Amino acid sequence: MMARRLLLVLQDQLLRDSNLLRGADAESDVVVMAELGAEHRRLPFHKRRIALILAAMRHFREDVRDSGLEVDYQHIDDDDRPQDLRSWLQHTIEKHEASEVRVLQPGDHRQQTAIEEACSEAAISLKTLKDGHFISSLDYFREWASGRKRLTLEYFYRQLRRDHDVLLHDDEPVGGDWNYDDQNRESFSSDGPGLLPAQPQFPIDTITEEVLATVEEHFPDHPGALDDFDLPVTPSQASETLTDFIANRLPSFGTYQDAMWMDEPFLYHSRLSASLNLHLLDPMDSVRSAENAYRNNAAPLNAVEGFIRQILGWREFVRGIYFYAGEEYGEHNALDAREDLPEFFWTAETEMICIRQTVSQIQQHAYAHHIQRLMVTGLFSLLYGADPAQFDDWHMAMYLDAWPWVSAPNTIGMSQYADGGLVATKPYIASGKYMNRMSNYCQHCPYDPDKATGDDACPFTTMYWDFLMRHEEELSDNRRMNFQLANLRRKDAQKQNAIRSQAETVRDRARRNSL
């Protein structure tokens, strides 16, 4: 038997024309893929997330087979075969008498280590290829970051716009400014968002139907629901979702991208991140589609620039941070936060309407938009003092689009400030007044966002002031915190002591799941 070269396709690298598959030899190469039970049980992953991954993988498998390549594919039902990545790869190397393994750069340090160990044990060559799905390379980010005292998204984003000629006119930003974030913070009036465009629907085919049954059988106790599953699982469906967003949501996306409203989980958001992170959708196609909408007067500049910044800027930036910061990044805990994450992050059983609304929609859709993540669940975890690693695990388990390369910088860095300021220039903290300004949640809540003490005090407001008191010394050198700390210092000792006492009550009730 001729020694084979294994082309290892990981579950989030489903680009049909990838660097890995381009030029593959049907005579000597075999594409290897696996649905690994141990990977899907490492955390209590949301059923909808598992179903999306498996359905997308199986559709990818069929397309690769149709291209003429051999695919060795292990199903989750194959209980007689190894169920963890290292053992399965060792088994597969032996089965095919492989001489080499090729793989795109994994987006998970843990996976990279497992692959390296399997190949080392088998004494065969491993070649890790650049993942051409991304707009910038890891070498590009390292070169940009080298020698900088602070890694600031805005400067990285501007450089990528110049490199790729995005929203430029004569090498200057169209409209005169690089960033229109100050125009993207409006809330809805008391009438709410009004009639919203319908979400695109995708019929469940035979492959996806089989996957849904498999997930229910093998993961019955995992959180989430699979009813009304309508997620894009192929590149063509992901492309339809992009087209729908550009036509029906992008014009209003910018202005209201930070707004929240009762029982409206999607509003004008794109829901493209899961498709992007599975490599079903090309990020530069998304950028160019939005730019063309602006050039054709189909969407305003503030909306288009805000959307492009999320993809060309933030998405590329956090991937660079993940690899630049190294394997220990997820262990950072700069604020020494040690509380266990409250049970209501899994159950939604709380009187706090903002938390209940957000977690309930995550239970149903495995989705929440960026402000719900940062300024509802993330804010509570930060103010409460939850262990950032636990918050990251929850984020990884519950969201469709969460992968280590994108989750850790967003949770450990941006949300929880556990990296001490590598990603975020300050802790993103606010009182309940922020929730009241950006949503109608507080109108339905028994807690008063204006109050820090008393039986009806908002837990967010109480813990906001308590957070500032607990971390005043370490934050005093951060000039971006001057205004908030100055307001704290206006409170006399009696008020501060009352807030501390109230904060202990909040924590005690959260620990008992009675908040």
Side-chain angles (χ1 to χ4, degrees), residues 241 245 249 253 266 268-273 307 310 367:
T241 306
F245 168 70
R249 291 168 178 75
F253 163 76
F266 307 127
Y268 296 104
H269 291 269
S270 70
R271 300 179 69 195
L272 296 174
S273 56
F307 175 71
Q310 288 186 347
Y367 169 86

Side-chain angles (χ1 to χ4, degrees), residues 314 317-318 321-322 325 329-335 374 378 382 388-389 391-392 404-428:
W314 186 248
F317 181 73
V318 297
I321 289 287
Y322 178 77
Y329 183 76
E331 300 175 12
H332 286 304
N333 192 352
L335 298 179
L374 180 64
L382 175 61
F391 181 72
D392 182 50
W405 66 267
V406 69
S407 183
N410 271 289
T411 57
I412 302 297
M414 184 69 173
S415 175
Q416 302 303 291
Y417 199 69
D419 65 3
L422 180 63
V423 171
T425 55
K426 56 167 278 189
Y428 278 84

Side-chain angles (χ1 to χ4, degrees), residues 283-479:
M284 189 52 80
D285 285 349
S286 302
V287 167
R288 295 302 184 197
S289 294
E291 183 179 25
N292 289 339
Y294 168 72
R295 303 285 188 190
N296 295 327
N297 297 314
L301 182 57
N302 68 305
V304 170
E305 187 278 319
F307 175 71
I308 287 175
R309 182 159 23 94
Q310 288 186 347
I311 297 176
L312 181 66
W314 186 248
R315 186 171 185 266
E316 297 290 321
F317 181 73
V318 297
R319 179 174 182 258
I321 289 287
Y322 178 77
F323 287 97
Y324 183 82
E327 294 185 41
E328 308 303 317
Y329 183 76
E331 300 175 12
H332 286 304
N333 192 352
L335 298 179
D336 195 31
R338 303 293 176 187
E339 291 284 345
D340 289 331
L341 197 68
E343 187 179 348
F344 52 69
F345 271 72
W346 302 97
T347 67
E349 294 175 1
T350 173
E351 293 299 312
M352 292 181 289
I353 295 299
C354 57
I355 293 285
R356 188 196 302 174
Q357 279 276 307
T358 301
V359 175
S360 293
Q361 77 175 54
I362 295 169
Q363 288 175 326
Q364 177 64 30
H365 303 289
Y367 169 86
H369 69 67
H370 67 281
I371 290 298
Q372 291 173 310
R373 299 192 198 203
L374 180 64
M375 301 304 294
V376 180
T377 55
L379 178 60
F380 187 93
S381 177
L382 175 61
L383 298 179
Y384 179 69
D387 183 335
Q390 289 189 30
F391 181 72
D392 182 50
D393 281 348
W394 174 82
H395 188 273
M396 275 291 304
M398 294 298 283
Y399 285 105
L400 291 170
D401 56 4
W403 299 92
W405 66 267
V406 69
S407 183
N410 271 289
T411 57
I412 302 297
M414 184 69 173
S415 175
Q416 302 303 291
Y417 199 69
D419 65 3
L422 180 63
V423 171
T425 55
K426 56 167 278 189
Y428 278 84
I429 59 170
S431 71
K433 291 181 179 181
Y434 176 85
M435 226 73 66
N436 196 30
R437 183 169 70 253
M438 297 308 301
S439 75
N440 68 335
Y441 293 157
C442 299
Q443 297 173 27
H444 304 271
C445 187
Y447 297 115
D448 187 336
D450 291 330
K451 293 183 179 180
T453 58
D455 292 342
D456 61 344
C458 174
F460 281 86
T461 303
T462 301
M463 293 191 300
Y464 166 77
W465 294 111
D466 179 69
F467 179 91
L468 289 174
M469 286 187 281
R470 286 187 290 117
H471 300 292
E472 180 178 6
E473 182 177 351
E474 59 213 277
L475 297 177
S476 60
D477 292 334
N478 188 327
R479 61 181 180 81

Side-chain angles (χ1 to χ4, degrees), residues 29-324:
D29 294 341
V30 55
V31 175
V32 295
M33 304 176 68
E35 302 170 1
L36 299 171
E39 292 294 310
H40 294 297
R41 293 185 177 90
R42 185 174 60 84
L43 295 171
F45 288 109
H46 197 293
K47 290 179 182 178
R48 192 164 291 230
R49 182 183 192 274
I50 299 173
L52 171 63
I53 292 169
L54 299 190
M57 287 177 67
R58 294 185 188 186
H59 283 89
F60 175 89
R61 173 198 64 199
E62 296 307 300
D63 287 348
V64 173
R65 284 176 175 165
D66 288 344
S67 75
L69 293 175
E70 178 185 347
V71 182
D72 181 342
Y73 190 98
Q74 176 172 310
H75 288 84
I76 202 85
D77 306 285
D78 297 335
D79 296 330
D80 58 333
R81 297 175 68 180
Q83 293 294 312
D84 67 277
L85 178 58
R86 177 180 173 177
S87 300
W88 166 78
L89 184 54
Q90 289 173 328
H91 168 84
T92 305
I93 290 169
E94 182 178 350
K95 172 184 174 182
H96 291 282
E97 299 182 8
S99 60
E100 180 181 85
V101 170
R102 291 193 173 191
V103 66
L104 296 179
Q105 173 67 59
D108 181 348
H109 295 304
R110 183 181 53 83
Q111 285 187 331
Q112 180 72 46
T113 298
I115 294 167
E116 290 173 353
E117 290 176 348
C119 291
S120 176
E121 180 72 19
I124 68 168
S125 172
L126 168 64
K127 186 170 184 179
T128 302
L129 308 177
K130 291 182 180 180
D131 188 344
H133 162 83
F134 291 93
I135 296 169
S136 63
S137 69
L138 298 180
D139 289 340
Y140 178 100
F141 186 88
R142 291 189 190 100
E143 182 178 348
W144 173 84
S146 178
R148 292 178 182 267
K149 292 182 179 180
R150 179 171 291 279
L151 305 182
T152 305
L153 164 67
E154 184 66 25
Y155 300 129
F156 181 70
Y157 165 59
R158 292 180 187 185
Q159 186 61 51
L160 284 182
R161 275 182 58 180
R162 289 191 178 100
D163 287 350
H164 297 277
D165 192 23
V166 175
L167 287 180
L168 295 182
H169 179 71
D170 292 336
D171 205 36
E172 293 296 322
V174 295
D177 293 316
W178 289 99
N179 185 313
Y180 290 88
D181 200 36
D182 60 351
Q183 297 180 28
N184 293 344
R185 299 171 182 168
E186 294 297 316
S187 56
F188 298 114
S189 70
S190 58
D191 294 331
L195 183 64
L196 293 165
Q199 293 292 324
Q201 302 288 316
F202 301 104
I204 296 175
D205 61 14
T206 302
I207 291 177
T208 301
E209 187 174 22
E210 291 174 352
V211 164
L212 297 180
T214 295
V215 172
E216 289 288 15
E217 177 185 355
H218 287 270
F219 305 96
D221 298 325
H222 280 231
L226 292 177
D227 54 302
D228 300 324
F229 184 93
D230 60 353
L231 299 171
V233 296
T234 66
S236 62
Q237 290 178 345
S239 181
E240 285 183 47
T241 306
L242 172 62
T243 299
D244 173 82
F245 168 70
I246 297 296
N248 298 321
R249 291 168 178 75
L250 180 59
S252 297
F253 163 76
T255 303
Y256 299 114
Q257 67 173 287
D258 286 3
M260 299 170 283
W261 200 258
M262 289 281 290
D263 301 322
E264 292 291 353
F266 307 127
L267 296 169
Y268 296 104
H269 291 269
S270 70
R271 300 179 69 195
L272 296 174
S273 56
S275 293
L276 284 164
N277 293 353
L278 285 171
H279 295 25
L280 299 180
L281 192 64
D282 183 84
M284 189 52 80
D285 285 349
S286 302
V287 167
R288 295 302 184 197
S289 294
E291 183 179 25
N292 289 339
Y294 168 72
R295 303 285 188 190
N296 295 327
N297 297 314
L301 182 57
N302 68 305
V304 170
E305 187 278 319
F307 175 71
I308 287 175
R309 182 159 23 94
Q310 288 186 347
I311 297 176
L312 181 66
W314 186 248
R315 186 171 185 266
E316 297 290 321
F317 181 73
V318 297
R319 179 174 182 258
I321 289 287
Y322 178 77
F323 287 97
Y324 183 82

